[in-house]
Amino acid sequence: MNAYISSDLNMVRELDPKRHELALLQAQWLEKGGTIEVLPFWVSHGEPVKPSTMTPNFQSRSVKDETDQQAARIRKMALTMNQREICEAEGILRGVLRGIGKRYNIKFPIGCHDIIPRNKATPETEAALVVSIKECIAEGINRNQCAKLLDISTTLLLRLIDDYSIDYPKLTPGFKKNPAKK
C-alpha cells in the first residue's frame, strides 16, 4: 500500500508546476472581471440505473411507418403461414423476420418447419419416384446409386421401398468374397 501512496505523491509533485500555472491564470481571469460559474450537482442516492429494454429507434418517420405496416402484415400472416412462407411472401431473411417478431411481440404458432417434411414428397411426386425406382431395379442399379440418380435422400428412398413394398434387393458388399466361389 505504501508503494501506491508514494507513486501518487510523485505524480502530484510532478504536476505542481502546472497546478500553480493554472492558479495564476485563474487569478488573472478574476482580476479582469471574469466570473466562474459553479454549477449545482446531484448526488445519486444509490438508485440503480435502469437499463433500456428497447433499443433506440433510429428510423426516419416514413421508414418507421413502413416497418409498422410490414409488422401488421406479418402478424396476420403468422396465423396461417409458417416462418419460411412469410419470408418468401415479404422477401426478407429469417433473421429479419425474427427481429421484427421480437420487436413487435409477434408469435409464430405454426413454427418454421415445412408443411411437407424433407423425407416426404407430394403423392404425385412419390408416384413418379416409385416408377423411377422400379426402373433402377430393372437396370440393376444399387440403392445408393439409385438415390443419387433420382436426386433424393437415401432416407426417402428407404421409406418409399417400405411404404410401397418394393422388392429392392440389397447387394452384397464387394470387399467380401464368397468362400464357396473360388
PDB file of all heavy atoms in Angstrom, residues 85-105:
ATOM      1  N   GLU A  85     -42.609 -19.438 -45.220  1.00  0.00           N
ATOM      2  CA  GLU A  85     -43.562 -18.887 -46.182  1.00  0.00           C
ATOM      3  C   GLU A  85     -43.702 -17.372 -46.022  1.00  0.00           C
ATOM      4  O   GLU A  85     -43.811 -16.651 -47.015  1.00  0.00           O
ATOM      5  CB  GLU A  85     -44.928 -19.564 -46.004  1.00  0.00           C
ATOM      6  CG  GLU A  85     -44.924 -21.029 -46.379  1.00  0.00           C
ATOM      7  CD  GLU A  85     -46.183 -21.761 -45.943  1.00  0.00           C
ATOM      8  OE1 GLU A  85     -46.834 -21.326 -44.975  1.00  0.00           O
ATOM      9  OE2 GLU A  85     -46.496 -22.781 -46.570  1.00  0.00           O
ATOM     10  N   ILE A  86     -43.678 -16.897 -44.793  1.00  0.00           N
ATOM     11  CA  ILE A  86     -43.761 -15.447 -44.553  1.00  0.00           C
ATOM     12  C   ILE A  86     -42.533 -14.752 -45.146  1.00  0.00           C
ATOM     13  O   ILE A  86     -42.656 -13.698 -45.779  1.00  0.00           O
ATOM     14  CB  ILE A  86     -43.889 -15.152 -43.042  1.00  0.00           C
ATOM     15  CG1 ILE A  86     -45.227 -15.674 -42.510  1.00  0.00           C
ATOM     16  CG2 ILE A  86     -43.766 -13.663 -42.768  1.00  0.00           C
ATOM     17  CD1 ILE A  86     -45.347 -15.623 -41.001  1.00  0.00           C
ATOM     18  N   CYS A  87     -41.367 -15.353 -44.966  1.00  0.00           N
ATOM     19  CA  CYS A  87     -40.131 -14.769 -45.518  1.00  0.00           C
ATOM     20  C   CYS A  87     -40.210 -14.678 -47.035  1.00  0.00           C
ATOM     21  O   CYS A  87     -39.803 -13.676 -47.625  1.00  0.00           O
ATOM     22  CB  CYS A  87     -38.919 -15.597 -45.105  1.00  0.00           C
ATOM     23  SG  CYS A  87     -38.492 -15.432 -43.371  1.00  0.00           S
ATOM     24  N   GLU A  88     -40.730 -15.728 -47.672  1.00  0.00           N
ATOM     25  CA  GLU A  88     -40.869 -15.702 -49.128  1.00  0.00           C
ATOM     26  C   GLU A  88     -41.870 -14.639 -49.563  1.00  0.00           C
ATOM     27  O   GLU A  88     -41.640 -13.923 -50.538  1.00  0.00           O
ATOM     28  CB  GLU A  88     -41.309 -17.076 -49.633  1.00  0.00           C
ATOM     29  CG  GLU A  88     -40.217 -18.123 -49.558  1.00  0.00           C
ATOM     30  CD  GLU A  88     -40.715 -19.518 -49.916  1.00  0.00           C
ATOM     31  OE1 GLU A  88     -41.867 -19.660 -50.367  1.00  0.00           O
ATOM     32  OE2 GLU A  88     -39.934 -20.470 -49.738  1.00  0.00           O
ATOM     33  N   ALA A  89     -42.985 -14.518 -48.842  1.00  0.00           N
ATOM     34  CA  ALA A  89     -44.019 -13.543 -49.210  1.00  0.00           C
ATOM     35  C   ALA A  89     -43.527 -12.109 -49.039  1.00  0.00           C
ATOM     36  O   ALA A  89     -43.820 -11.243 -49.864  1.00  0.00           O
ATOM     37  CB  ALA A  89     -45.277 -13.767 -48.366  1.00  0.00           C
ATOM     38  N   GLU A  90     -42.759 -11.853 -47.982  1.00  0.00           N
ATOM     39  CA  GLU A  90     -42.281 -10.499 -47.702  1.00  0.00           C
ATOM     40  C   GLU A  90     -40.943 -10.181 -48.363  1.00  0.00           C
ATOM     41  O   GLU A  90     -40.533  -9.034 -48.405  1.00  0.00           O
ATOM     42  CB  GLU A  90     -42.156 -10.283 -46.184  1.00  0.00           C
ATOM     43  CG  GLU A  90     -43.483 -10.108 -45.484  1.00  0.00           C
ATOM     44  CD  GLU A  90     -44.188  -8.824 -45.866  1.00  0.00           C
ATOM     45  OE1 GLU A  90     -43.543  -7.759 -45.926  1.00  0.00           O
ATOM     46  OE2 GLU A  90     -45.398  -8.896 -46.112  1.00  0.00           O
ATOM     47  N   GLY A  91     -40.238 -11.224 -48.822  1.00  0.00           N
ATOM     48  CA  GLY A  91     -38.936 -11.006 -49.444  1.00  0.00           C
ATOM     49  C   GLY A  91     -37.866 -10.616 -48.440  1.00  0.00           C
ATOM     50  O   GLY A  91     -37.008  -9.780 -48.729  1.00  0.00           O
ATOM     51  N   ILE A  92     -37.928 -11.210 -47.232  1.00  0.00           N
ATOM     52  CA  ILE A  92     -36.952 -10.900 -46.181  1.00  0.00           C
ATOM     53  C   ILE A  92     -36.290 -12.184 -45.713  1.00  0.00           C
ATOM     54  O   ILE A  92     -36.764 -13.283 -45.984  1.00  0.00           O
ATOM     55  CB  ILE A  92     -37.622 -10.177 -44.982  1.00  0.00           C
ATOM     56  CG1 ILE A  92     -38.770 -11.035 -44.400  1.00  0.00           C
ATOM     57  CG2 ILE A  92     -38.104  -8.811 -45.368  1.00  0.00           C
ATOM     58  CD1 ILE A  92     -39.411 -10.437 -43.158  1.00  0.00           C
ATOM     59  N   LEU A  93     -35.180 -12.037 -45.011  1.00  0.00           N
ATOM     60  CA  LEU A  93     -34.475 -13.177 -44.441  1.00  0.00           C
ATOM     61  C   LEU A  93     -35.123 -13.579 -43.119  1.00  0.00           C
ATOM     62  O   LEU A  93     -35.828 -12.784 -42.487  1.00  0.00           O
ATOM     63  CB  LEU A  93     -33.008 -12.834 -44.208  1.00  0.00           C
ATOM     64  CG  LEU A  93     -32.198 -12.489 -45.453  1.00  0.00           C
ATOM     65  CD1 LEU A  93     -30.800 -12.030 -45.059  1.00  0.00           C
ATOM     66  CD2 LEU A  93     -32.114 -13.691 -46.374  1.00  0.00           C
ATOM     67  N   ARG A  94     -34.851 -14.815 -42.693  1.00  0.00           N
ATOM     68  CA  ARG A  94     -35.472 -15.319 -41.480  1.00  0.00           C
ATOM     69  C   ARG A  94     -35.001 -14.556 -40.245  1.00  0.00           C
ATOM     70  O   ARG A  94     -35.767 -14.333 -39.309  1.00  0.00           O
ATOM     71  CB  ARG A  94     -35.155 -16.809 -41.332  1.00  0.00           C
ATOM     72  CG  ARG A  94     -35.987 -17.460 -40.289  1.00  0.00           C
ATOM     73  CD  ARG A  94     -36.328 -18.884 -40.657  1.00  0.00           C
ATOM     74  NE  ARG A  94     -36.856 -19.513 -39.495  1.00  0.00           N
ATOM     75  CZ  ARG A  94     -36.257 -20.480 -38.833  1.00  0.00           C
ATOM     76  NH1 ARG A  94     -35.128 -20.952 -39.262  1.00  0.00           N
ATOM     77  NH2 ARG A  94     -36.793 -20.991 -37.758  1.00  0.00           N
ATOM     78  N   GLY A  95     -33.742 -14.120 -40.220  1.00  0.00           N
ATOM     79  CA  GLY A  95     -33.244 -13.336 -39.097  1.00  0.00           C
ATOM     80  C   GLY A  95     -33.963 -11.998 -38.981  1.00  0.00           C
ATOM     81  O   GLY A  95     -34.256 -11.529 -37.885  1.00  0.00           O
ATOM     82  N   VAL A  96     -34.265 -11.382 -40.129  1.00  0.00           N
ATOM     83  CA  VAL A  96     -35.014 -10.114 -40.130  1.00  0.00           C
ATOM     84  C   VAL A  96     -36.422 -10.366 -39.595  1.00  0.00           C
ATOM     85  O   VAL A  96     -36.945  -9.590 -38.791  1.00  0.00           O
ATOM     86  CB  VAL A  96     -35.063  -9.509 -41.551  1.00  0.00           C
ATOM     87  CG1 VAL A  96     -35.961  -8.295 -41.600  1.00  0.00           C
ATOM     88  CG2 VAL A  96     -33.666  -9.160 -42.025  1.00  0.00           C
ATOM     89  N   LEU A  97     -37.022 -11.478 -40.022  1.00  0.00           N
ATOM     90  CA  LEU A  97     -38.365 -11.821 -39.540  1.00  0.00           C
ATOM     91  C   LEU A  97     -38.364 -12.011 -38.027  1.00  0.00           C
ATOM     92  O   LEU A  97     -39.248 -11.510 -37.329  1.00  0.00           O
ATOM     93  CB  LEU A  97     -38.867 -13.089 -40.234  1.00  0.00           C
ATOM     94  CG  LEU A  97     -40.233 -13.593 -39.770  1.00  0.00           C
ATOM     95  CD1 LEU A  97     -41.324 -12.609 -40.182  1.00  0.00           C
ATOM     96  CD2 LEU A  97     -40.520 -14.962 -40.345  1.00  0.00           C
ATOM     97  N   ARG A  98     -37.352 -12.727 -37.515  1.00  0.00           N
ATOM     98  CA  ARG A  98     -37.277 -12.933 -36.071  1.00  0.00           C
ATOM     99  C   ARG A  98     -37.092 -11.612 -35.337  1.00  0.00           C
ATOM    100  O   ARG A  98     -37.652 -11.404 -34.263  1.00  0.00           O
ATOM    101  CB  ARG A  98     -36.143 -13.892 -35.734  1.00  0.00           C
ATOM    102  CG  ARG A  98     -36.532 -15.334 -35.949  1.00  0.00           C
ATOM    103  CD  ARG A  98     -35.480 -16.250 -35.363  1.00  0.00           C
ATOM    104  NE  ARG A  98     -34.955 -17.032 -36.478  1.00  0.00           N
ATOM    105  CZ  ARG A  98     -33.712 -17.387 -36.642  1.00  0.00           C
ATOM    106  NH1 ARG A  98     -32.811 -17.052 -35.774  1.00  0.00           N
ATOM    107  NH2 ARG A  98     -33.346 -18.089 -37.673  1.00  0.00           N
ATOM    108  N   GLY A  99     -36.282 -10.698 -35.907  1.00  0.00           N
ATOM    109  CA  GLY A  99     -36.086  -9.392 -35.280  1.00  0.00           C
ATOM    110  C   GLY A  99     -37.372  -8.595 -35.229  1.00  0.00           C
ATOM    111  O   GLY A  99     -37.698  -7.993 -34.203  1.00  0.00           O
ATOM    112  N   ILE A 100     -38.132  -8.604 -36.321  1.00  0.00           N
ATOM    113  CA  ILE A 100     -39.418  -7.896 -36.343  1.00  0.00           C
ATOM    114  C   ILE A 100     -40.370  -8.547 -35.354  1.00  0.00           C
ATOM    115  O   ILE A 100     -41.090  -7.862 -34.613  1.00  0.00           O
ATOM    116  CB  ILE A 100     -40.012  -7.892 -37.771  1.00  0.00           C
ATOM    117  CG1 ILE A 100     -39.159  -7.014 -38.688  1.00  0.00           C
ATOM    118  CG2 ILE A 100     -41.458  -7.405 -37.763  1.00  0.00           C
ATOM    119  CD1 ILE A 100     -39.534  -7.101 -40.161  1.00  0.00           C
ATOM    120  N   GLY A 101     -40.360  -9.888 -35.300  1.00  0.00           N
ATOM    121  CA  GLY A 101     -41.221 -10.596 -34.360  1.00  0.00           C
ATOM    122  C   GLY A 101     -40.905 -10.246 -32.923  1.00  0.00           C
ATOM    123  O   GLY A 101     -41.805 -10.070 -32.092  1.00  0.00           O
ATOM    124  N   LYS A 102     -39.637 -10.110 -32.619  1.00  0.00           N
ATOM    125  CA  LYS A 102     -39.232  -9.773 -31.251  1.00  0.00           C
ATOM    126  C   LYS A 102     -39.602  -8.326 -30.915  1.00  0.00           C
ATOM    127  O   LYS A 102     -40.112  -8.034 -29.839  1.00  0.00           O
ATOM    128  CB  LYS A 102     -37.726  -9.986 -31.100  1.00  0.00           C
ATOM    129  CG  LYS A 102     -37.225  -9.842 -29.691  1.00  0.00           C
ATOM    130  CD  LYS A 102     -35.765 -10.206 -29.598  1.00  0.00           C
ATOM    131  CE  LYS A 102     -35.279 -10.098 -28.166  1.00  0.00           C
ATOM    132  NZ  LYS A 102     -33.871 -10.443 -28.051  1.00  0.00           N
ATOM    133  N   ARG A 103     -39.335  -7.415 -31.865  1.00  0.00           N
ATOM    134  CA  ARG A 103     -39.610  -6.002 -31.631  1.00  0.00           C
ATOM    135  C   ARG A 103     -41.098  -5.706 -31.475  1.00  0.00           C
ATOM    136  O   ARG A 103     -41.499  -4.898 -30.652  1.00  0.00           O
ATOM    137  CB  ARG A 103     -39.050  -5.181 -32.792  1.00  0.00           C
ATOM    138  CG  ARG A 103     -38.366  -3.929 -32.359  1.00  0.00           C
ATOM    139  CD  ARG A 103     -37.651  -3.208 -33.494  1.00  0.00           C
ATOM    140  NE  ARG A 103     -36.670  -4.053 -34.150  1.00  0.00           N
ATOM    141  CZ  ARG A 103     -36.612  -4.264 -35.459  1.00  0.00           C
ATOM    142  NH1 ARG A 103     -37.460  -3.689 -36.260  1.00  0.00           N
ATOM    143  NH2 ARG A 103     -35.699  -5.054 -35.969  1.00  0.00           N
ATOM    144  N   TYR A 104     -41.928  -6.401 -32.268  1.00  0.00           N
ATOM    145  CA  TYR A 104     -43.363  -6.134 -32.262  1.00  0.00           C
ATOM    146  C   TYR A 104     -44.152  -7.206 -31.509  1.00  0.00           C
ATOM    147  O   TYR A 104     -45.370  -7.235 -31.576  1.00  0.00           O
ATOM    148  CB  TYR A 104     -43.881  -6.026 -33.709  1.00  0.00           C
ATOM    149  CG  TYR A 104     -43.422  -4.763 -34.394  1.00  0.00           C
ATOM    150  CD1 TYR A 104     -42.234  -4.730 -35.109  1.00  0.00           C
ATOM    151  CD2 TYR A 104     -44.165  -3.598 -34.307  1.00  0.00           C
ATOM    152  CE1 TYR A 104     -41.808  -3.580 -35.740  1.00  0.00           C
ATOM    153  CE2 TYR A 104     -43.751  -2.441 -34.929  1.00  0.00           C
ATOM    154  CZ  TYR A 104     -42.568  -2.438 -35.643  1.00  0.00           C
ATOM    155  OH  TYR A 104     -42.154  -1.289 -36.263  1.00  0.00           O
ATOM    156  N   ASN A 105     -43.455  -8.103 -30.801  1.00  0.00           N
ATOM    157  CA  ASN A 105     -44.071  -9.147 -29.984  1.00  0.00           C
ATOM    158  C   ASN A 105     -45.049  -9.999 -30.807  1.00  0.00           C
ATOM    159  O   ASN A 105     -46.199 -10.183 -30.438  1.00  0.00           O
ATOM    160  CB  ASN A 105     -44.774  -8.533 -28.764  1.00  0.00           C
ATOM    161  CG  ASN A 105     -45.039  -9.568 -27.695  1.00  0.00           C
ATOM    162  OD1 ASN A 105     -44.383 -10.619 -27.678  1.00  0.00           O
ATOM    163  ND2 ASN A 105     -45.983  -9.301 -26.833  1.00  0.00           N
TER     164      ASN A 105
END
